[in-house]
Amino acid sequence: MPTRTLTKDLRAHIGREVRIQGWVRAIRDQKRIQFLIVRDHTGLAQAVVERAEGRADINQTIAALTRESAVTIDGVVVENAVVKTGGVEVQIRSLRVDNLADPLLPLDPSGPTEPNPEVQANWRYLDLRRPESLLIFQIQTAIEHAMREYWIREGFIELHSPKLMGSPSEGGAEVFELEYFGRPAYLAQSPQFYKQMAMAAGFDRVFEIGPVFRADPSFTTRHSTEFTGLDMEMSWVESHEDVMAFEERWLRYTLERVKAQFGDAARETFGVEIVVPEVPFPRVPMGQAQEIVARRGHTAPAERKHDLDATGERLVGEYAAEEFGHEFAYVTDYPVDVRPFYHMRHPSNSAITKSFDLLWRGVEIATGAQREHRYDVLVRQAKEKGLNLEPIQFYLEFFKYGCPPHGGFGAGLARMLMVLLKLANLREATFLFRGPTRLSP
RNA sequence: GGGGGCGUGGUGUAGCCUGGCUAAACACACCUGCCUGUCACGCAGGAGACCGCGGGUUCAAAUCCCGUCGCUCCCGCCA
């Protein structure tokens, strides 16, 4: 008997005794009868008990109960069309208070208004009790699952690369430094070098879903200092086009799966329609992107006229939506000066890289490229960027003993979730947000 | 890093511009009592903030000024 029944399954247990477990969302304690609304991760259920001599203990417990307490209820499921929680209710036989909640909640998960961001962050576990919060992470699980499924089906190997590094992977300004047994170490801001090392190792195709760290003091709704990176790298590509072609099919599959599982829930809770994108996605070379942006009346600051700023990206997103009816757009052919040294350059035009960004509804969600796999060219490009070769020598060595041509991309999980569900802020799509001013809980 | 906004009981806000008329108001939550099935339950009563912090102006400041701390948004950086 003490097998737990989820609230969503009560209808299948009419007339039988069940145990439900969850949080007290509401207490309606009346003279003759007492109602509890109990929430678990699958929904709401009403539990009811009449005030009577034989149930004085239960009646008393309920009189002293508080909202958001954790309870276990045993009782019989009865059908009652009047009841708004699914037309069924549980007639309480016994009630156990597993954890009584303090009556003064710092954050009310079923309250009429949303608390301030700071209150939400400080009491994140109460904030996460809101069903819409739960749904975000159920959808995140489905996304990750579908992505991993597609990768594995395509012959990829899953990688877990180290996050502690002896030298900053590239550049250096945006890397966290920490003390490592008396010498400096750095938190990986990308698995870039290691996934390329797997190419040199002959793994052919790899992916990694793991934490990445960025020491940028960014204050926007779409940045954090620690997030889950989605990275992949594939060997024997002819160009970055092969990578883009993979990525768009991977995304189409993922959204297909997520829509099938959560399309209705996403519509009801967030008012968003999950669209399974057509492939190929629209492609917009940087030169054309600049024209589109200019035509739409936006002028980027002179010093970054080779790149797209956030507004520019939004406008290219609008363009893709209007011209192609598409939520996604690849921006390709970024100039050398706005790309890292390891991006391969076009053989016909060395000022342009074989790289791309992927925009979703005008928000940058991924960056990719074909990598430079020729040792001497790579060294030349690193020098050109003014890099100190010594700390990256281990990386450069990958390309001295037979490394296949390869390419890949990196994307951000929370950022994709934010765009998918049209959330106002990345932190809603992050279990525990880390930012320049947020390091706890 | 640059710019804007905000900071009032447990929570969300009003009041601030046009200082005193409010011993700081409203909603939700909380406490007490009442209520024959409630379902945003209802009704009656009650407790709870000296208005982020520090300084200044003034007869008088939550309200004006300066500083400071915190949060937040935009830009930049990027996923």
Side-chain angles (χ1 to χ4, degrees):
Chain A
M1 183 337 313
T3 308
R4 183 185 184 197
T5 300
L6 300 175
T7 59
K8 73 173 168 65
D9 297 326
L10 286 179
R11 180 147 277 283
H13 292 77
I14 290 169
R16 299 220 293 277
E17 186 148 356
V18 297
R19 161 169 290 185
I20 59 171
Q21 297 180 299
W23 288 263
V24 178
R25 191 197 134 98
I27 304 160
R28 303 200 184 100
D29 185 359
Q30 300 180 84
K31 184 168 190 123
R32 300 276 298 270
I33 192 165
Q34 297 172 308
F35 299 96
L36 296 180
I37 306 299
V38 176
R39 179 191 67 245
D40 67 12
H41 60 288
T42 66
L44 298 174
Q46 172 163 289
V48 61
V49 63
E50 285 180 22
R51 282 184 179 276
E53 288 279 318
R55 306 198 189 87
D57 53 335
I58 297 175
N59 297 147
Q60 245 170 351
T61 304
I62 291 176
L65 197 55
T66 53
R67 295 163 64 251
E68 294 303 322
S69 292
V71 296
T72 296
I73 292 170
D74 291 338
V76 177
V77 183
V78 297
E79 187 162 29
N80 184 345
V82 183
V83 177
K84 291 186 177 175
T85 51
V88 290
E89 62 186 354
V90 176
Q91 293 188 324
I92 303 174
R93 286 273 174 81
S94 77
L95 165 66
R96 187 178 79 209
V97 180
D98 297 302
N99 190 279
L100 189 69
D102 188 306
L104 276 186
L105 296 167
L107 185 157
D108 184 354
S110 57
T113 52
E114 256 202 10
N116 286 322
E118 192 179 5
V119 175
Q120 286 182 297
N122 288 342
W123 304 96
R124 184 61 167 150
Y125 51 91
L126 295 178
D127 188 38
L128 288 169
R129 285 186 192 175
R130 296 181 4 248
E132 53 271 38
S133 297
L134 180 66
L135 179 60
I136 291 171
F137 295 96
Q138 288 170 328
I139 291 175
Q140 177 178 276
T141 303
I143 288 176
E144 265 187 74
H145 183 76
M147 288 174 167
R148 185 176 265 116
E149 196 171 53
Y150 192 82
W151 269 322
I152 290 170
R153 181 191 300 171
E154 294 288 320
F156 280 69
I157 287 174
E158 181 162 9
L159 221 60
H160 297 290
S161 65
K163 305 307 160 201
L164 286 167
M165 301 177 74
S167 57
S169 37
E170 33 169 316
E174 69 287 347
V175 184
F176 285 110
E177 183 175 335
L178 55 102
E179 206 233 55
Y180 191 78
F181 301 112
R183 61 187 171 114
Y186 307 88
L187 289 177
Q189 32 76 290
S190 143
Q192 185 60 36
F193 288 179
Y194 298 124
K195 61 183 185 174
Q196 286 191 257
M197 182 178 134
M199 299 300 95
F203 278 21
D204 195 66
R205 305 172 138 199
V206 299
F207 72 93
E208 174 162 352
I209 300 176
V212 292
F213 305 89
R214 303 283 166 90
D216 306 307
S218 297
F219 299 96
T220 76
T221 53
R222 57 190 187 284
H223 288 85
S224 54
T225 51
E226 176 178 353
F227 63 94
T228 302
L230 307 165
D231 272 90
M232 67 126 252
E233 203 71 22
M234 56 201 282
S235 288
W236 308 109
V237 300
E238 294 295 329
S239 78
H240 55 308
E241 269 295 338
D242 292 337
V243 181
M244 293 193 283
F246 181 90
E247 186 176 16
E248 60 198 7
R249 291 194 308 271
W250 169 77
L251 278 170
R252 182 181 60 181
Y253 177 77
T254 297
L255 290 172
E256 213 170 71
R257 298 292 301 137
V258 172
K259 186 184 176 75
Q261 295 171 72
F262 289 103
D264 294 339
R267 189 181 309 114
E268 284 159 25
T269 303
F270 300 107
V272 297
E273 194 61 38
I274 295 177
V275 177
V276 178
E278 301 283 327
V279 298
F281 295 178
R283 283 146 168 78
V284 184
M286 178 55 79
Q288 193 192 330
Q290 305 283 13
E291 289 168 23
I292 291 163
V293 170
R295 217 181 304 134
R296 283 169 188 255
H298 176 67
T299 345
E303 70 274 13
R304 32 195 336 277
K305 62 169 184 278
H306 295 303
D307 203 355
L308 288 181
D309 58 14
T311 305
E313 290 177 339
R314 215 193 65 235
L315 293 174
V316 172
E318 274 177 20
Y319 164 84
E322 288 165 19
E323 294 295 312
F324 305 102
H326 213 287
E327 295 190 342
F328 291 87
Y330 280 120
V331 178
T332 64
D333 300 344
Y334 279 77
V336 164
D337 55 313
V338 298
R339 290 304 207 188
F341 73 98
Y342 54 81
H343 280 197
M344 186 178 273
R345 301 176 185 184
H346 276 284
S348 54
N349 183 352
S350 65
I352 291 173
T353 57
K354 297 173 80 173
S355 72
F356 61 89
D357 272 11
L358 177 59
L359 308 181
W360 188 4
R361 296 194 190 125
V363 177
E364 183 178 333
I365 60 155
T367 297
Q370 178 172 7
R371 322 302 184 184
E372 181 51 68
H373 63 285
R374 295 161 298 184
Y375 179 82
D376 51 334
V377 179
L378 190 58
V379 167
R380 195 197 313 139
Q381 291 184 176
K383 281 181 180 162
E384 221 179 276
K385 290 267 180 190
L387 292 179
N388 177 10
L389 299 192
E390 201 205 325
I392 57 166
Q393 193 52 44
F394 79 99
Y395 166 74
L396 299 171
E397 305 279 323
F398 301 164
F399 311 99
K400 279 177 74 174
Y401 307 99
C403 185
H406 62 281
F409 66 81
L413 179 59
R415 197 177 273 191
M416 290 181 63
L417 205 51
M418 173 178 121
V419 174
L420 174 68
L421 303 178
K422 294 188 175 165
L423 304 175
N425 201 304
L426 180 98
R427 58 198 73 183
E428 289 180 54
T430 307
F431 179 59
L432 284 169
F433 174 80
R434 287 290 178 266
T437 62
R438 174 57 65 171
L439 206 47
S440 67

